Amino acid sequence: MKFRITVRKEGVPDEVRAVEAASRFEVYDHVRSEGGFVVSISPRYSWSWRELSRFNFTIGTGIRRIEVVRTAKNLAAMLSAGLSISRALSVIERQSGNKRLKAVAEGLAESVKKGSSFHEALAGYPRVFSPLFIAMARAGEESGTLADSLKVIALQMEHSEELVKKIKGAMIYPIIVISAVITVGILMLIYVVPTLTNTFTSLGVEVPLATRVIIALSNFLVGNLALALFALAALITGLIAFLRSKPGRTTVLAVALHLPVIKDLVRETYTARAARTLSSLLSAGVPVLEALSITKEVVHASAFARVVELAEEHVRKGEPLSASFSQHTKLYPILMSDMLAVGEETGKVAEMLKQIAEFYEEDVAGKTKDLSAIIEPLLMLFIGAFVGIFAVSMIAPIYQISSAI
């Protein structure tokens, strides 16, 4: 497959070029042999029918993350029992109920039988297996502990998934409530307001400004319902696309880091992710520079990933790993850099990172519960304001009619 890389050599400007290789690790080895190092690397996906048949596409894989976790666990169990990797993959293929996962397992088994290493076979499916997964598999193969490495990656992915689920779970309730309020509001504008409007018109009642605004909105929806629904769908689609884009994620992250309560939740979530990823890679024997490069991709958020990138530059210069994190305490808490420093002094960096990850994962779990308690009264205020404005706007003219009678 092809990769787009930025290469840095001493005394030479950074060079951006495309490289074709079996995996990103082959790219790293090739650049090192030239006397340089990789600053950034990203896959360049091919849109040929052959690649599509192997699920190398960006729209989706049809394979859930939990299925990848289950696959890692099953492979670890079978390898520990003495099965060869090709036979274990054949078992995965037969027992899987997901057609796409069957195809991936078949492709992996075929590659291994042809002489490819397991991690090279995994690199052929970058949309299914993350750089972290591939790096852990490579480290396990090189050290002869592939089963243990697969257990570690399965555990790491489970913790990451659980953290994301807790955060999403805290947001489901407000999203449902707000969606319900908007839906009820639209239905009232379409079916209730026109009836009241006819009454006000027939009685010649002069309505206040707020009521006129609601009536105008109702008239527009009734007369242009298809256009309004299309505009709403386009707005939602555009918003989702923006939030999934790099500028959108960067904007949301910048806003979140300035919101009370939310900012601490965001900081601790990314700290836990970075710490657990780096801990897993280092404990598996992945070199620290490669581990930092992979962690940068896993962290994903630009601001937090930049700190990891700076840490990589510090380590390359012979400086301690904790130096970069200690300079960016607005993103990564002070505890991160302090415990890293202790880990470097005692030679237990991976263990310290694991403790950091566990601490912040527990803290995030507690704060998501607190977040739900904070959101509920805010939602009540929102619903109360919505109902109050609507009620006052529509009841005021009715009160005028009653007074005139």
Side-chain angles (χ1 to χ4, degrees):
M1 63 181 299
K2 291 184 178 180
F3 295 90
R4 177 184 171 86
I5 62 172
T6 303
V7 178
R8 182 173 296 168
K9 295 181 181 179
E10 189 175 351
V12 180
D14 289 359
E15 177 189 2
V16 179
R17 66 175 190 251
V19 175
E20 189 160 355
S23 69
R24 64 182 61 235
F25 303 105
E26 188 176 311
V27 176
Y28 285 125
D29 294 339
H30 177 68
V31 173
R32 282 199 201 96
S33 67
E34 295 179 341
F37 62 88
V38 178
V39 177
S40 65
I41 181 170
S42 59
R44 296 183 67 182
Y45 298 107
S46 170
W47 288 92
S48 67
W49 288 108
R50 182 182 177 186
E51 293 298 322
L52 283 174
S53 67
R54 297 180 64 191
F55 303 104
N56 288 337
F57 49 88
T58 58
I59 298 174
T61 63
I63 300 173
R64 294 179 299 161
R65 189 177 176 86
I66 190 65
E67 290 178 309
V68 178
V69 174
R70 196 179 298 122
T71 298
K73 283 185 173 181
N74 291 343
L75 284 173
M78 287 185 280
L79 292 175
S80 298
L83 272 70
S84 65
I85 185 64
S86 58
R87 187 175 176 185
L89 287 167
S90 298
V91 174
I92 295 292
E93 178 194 346
R94 291 197 302 272
Q95 73 177 13
S96 176
N98 186 321
K99 291 183 179 179
R100 292 189 174 182
L101 183 57
K102 276 180 177 288
V104 170
E106 182 183 4
L108 291 174
E110 185 181 345
S111 296
V112 170
K113 287 175 183 177
K114 288 180 178 178
S116 297
S117 62
F118 181 53
H119 78 269
E120 288 174 342
L122 292 173
Y125 301 90
R127 299 297 299 174
V128 179
F129 302 103
S130 66
L132 173 62
F133 198 113
I134 298 168
M136 293 289 288
R138 181 194 185 191
E141 284 183 300
E142 291 177 350
S143 61
T145 58
L146 181 56
D148 293 336
S149 293
L150 288 171
K151 288 177 184 177
V152 172
I153 186 59
L155 182 64
Q156 198 274 347
M157 290 177 71
E158 276 188 329
H159 280 290
S160 177
E161 190 72 7
E162 186 178 350
L163 198 63
V164 172
K165 280 183 178 179
K166 286 176 179 176
I167 295 171
K168 287 183 176 179
M171 301 307 297
I172 288 175
Y173 175 67
I175 289 172
I176 291 174
V177 171
I178 292 173
S179 299
V181 169
I182 293 173
T183 302
V184 170
I186 291 173
L187 291 174
M188 292 183 73
L189 287 170
I190 294 173
Y191 295 106
V192 177
V193 174
T195 304
L196 294 174
T197 301
N198 292 334
T199 303
F200 300 152
T201 303
S202 62
L203 294 174
V205 178
E206 185 178 349
V207 295
L209 176 62
T211 308
R212 292 200 300 271
V213 170
I214 291 177
I215 290 173
L217 184 58
S218 173
N219 291 336
F220 175 79
L221 282 175
V222 172
N224 304 276
L225 183 59
L227 178 61
L229 291 177
F230 176 77
L232 181 62
L235 178 63
I236 294 172
T237 304
L239 182 61
I240 292 173
F242 174 72
L243 292 176
R244 288 183 175 179
S245 67
K246 187 174 181 179
R249 291 195 301 266
T250 303
T251 303
V252 171
L253 181 62
V255 172
L257 288 172
H258 289 86
L259 296 175
V261 181
I262 299 294
K263 65 180 179 182
D264 291 334
L265 190 63
V266 171
R267 291 174 65 213
E268 292 178 4
T269 298
Y270 281 106
T271 299
R273 181 181 296 177
R276 185 165 288 282
T277 302
L278 196 53
S279 171
S280 299
L281 289 166
L282 293 177
S283 62
V286 177
V288 64
L289 290 176
E290 281 188 23
L292 286 167
S293 179
I294 294 165
T295 301
K296 177 179 64 178
E297 294 183 33
V298 173
V299 170
H300 204 54
S302 56
F304 291 89
R306 176 58 182 161
V307 178
V308 178
E309 184 179 358
L310 290 173
E312 184 182 358
E313 293 178 6
H314 280 290
V315 172
R316 187 173 282 111
K317 294 175 183 177
E319 299 175 9
L321 176 61
S322 57
S324 176
F325 295 99
S326 64
Q327 295 169 8
H328 297 86
T329 53
K330 288 186 178 180
L331 295 174
Y332 290 91
I334 296 175
L335 180 65
M336 175 80 166
S337 57
D338 287 350
M339 289 191 71
L340 262 178
V342 172
E344 288 173 318
E345 291 170 6
T346 59
K348 298 180 178 179
V349 175
E351 291 180 22
M352 283 296 179
L353 285 166
K354 183 180 178 182
Q355 290 182 30
I356 293 169
E358 291 174 349
F359 173 79
Y360 283 118
E361 283 167 355
E362 290 177 7
D363 205 35
V364 167
K367 284 183 177 178
T368 50
K369 292 180 181 178
D370 296 338
L371 186 62
S372 299
I374 294 170
I375 287 174
E376 285 182 12
L378 292 176
L379 284 175
M380 293 303 104
L381 287 173
F382 169 75
I383 295 171
F386 176 84
V387 173
I389 292 171
F390 190 87
V392 169
S393 299
M394 302 313 294
I395 289 174
I398 296 174
Y399 181 75
Q400 289 179 16
I401 295 171
S402 301
S403 299
I405 295 172

